[in-house]
Amino acid sequence: MKFSTLSSSAAAAVILGLGGLAGPASATSAHPDGFEPTTVVYSDDGNCKAWINTHKDVTGTWYAQGLVHSWNGANCQIYLQQRYSGAWHNADAAAATNGQDQTGWYVDDTGYRCRVAVRNHNNQEPYNAGRSV
């Protein structure tokens, strides 16, 4: 399920809200709105960085978004992956070269977990998956 009603100003606030403590996503434990520092993952060559931002909507449902940042000419690609029904599924993708891009917002609430997987496509590296929330 894709979360598409987040306004551009709210999305910017989440992207710019790079603070807070991280914790696991579950029915009994909440994580903060914004940057999830424990989800940061790098490509093998270190020229790509990816992470997850989270957002709780007005109904109390958590959503996750994958972000990717590139430098040194790296063609960085990510998948935002959701785990449900016992398996990981690619929910969305984003790519950037010498800049930043992000995926859409996807459910990261009870019964779901989200993570990002990143690689530098220039080097045909394998994807490195970050910690899930």
Side-chain angles (χ1 to χ4, degrees):
M1 169 183 230
K2 187 171 183 176
F3 178 67
S4 60
T5 60
L6 187 65
S7 70
S8 60
S9 61
V14 171
I15 291 167
L16 295 174
L18 300 178
L21 303 173
S26 73
T28 60
S29 175
H31 44 84
D33 268 349
F35 175 59
E36 295 281 351
T38 62
T39 66
V40 173
V41 62
Y42 292 88
S43 61
D44 285 347
D45 69 357
N47 289 316
C48 303
K49 179 180 179 180
W51 64 92
I52 288 179
N53 279 347
T54 53
H55 171 73
K56 190 176 191 179
D57 75 4
V58 295
T59 68
T61 303
W62 283 99
Y63 292 87
Q65 173 191 56
L67 290 95
V68 59
H69 187 79
S70 163
W71 52 88
N72 295 328
N75 178 1
C76 301
Q77 300 177 340
I78 66 166
Y79 283 110
L80 175 69
Q81 299 177 319
Q82 283 180 309
R83 184 174 178 86
Y84 56 89
S85 301
W88 287 103
H89 306 272
N90 292 335
D92 203 353
T97 301
N98 291 332
Q100 185 171 306
D101 196 14
Q102 69 274 338
T103 68
W105 291 91
Y106 290 81
V107 173
D108 184 29
D109 210 283
T110 304
Y112 292 85
R113 295 193 59 82
C114 288
R115 70 181 184 188
V116 287
V118 63
R119 77 170 183 163
N120 182 349
H121 182 69
N122 294 345
N123 301 335
Q124 293 298 309
E125 297 175 353
Y127 282 91
N128 292 333
R131 183 170 177 246
S132 64
V133 291

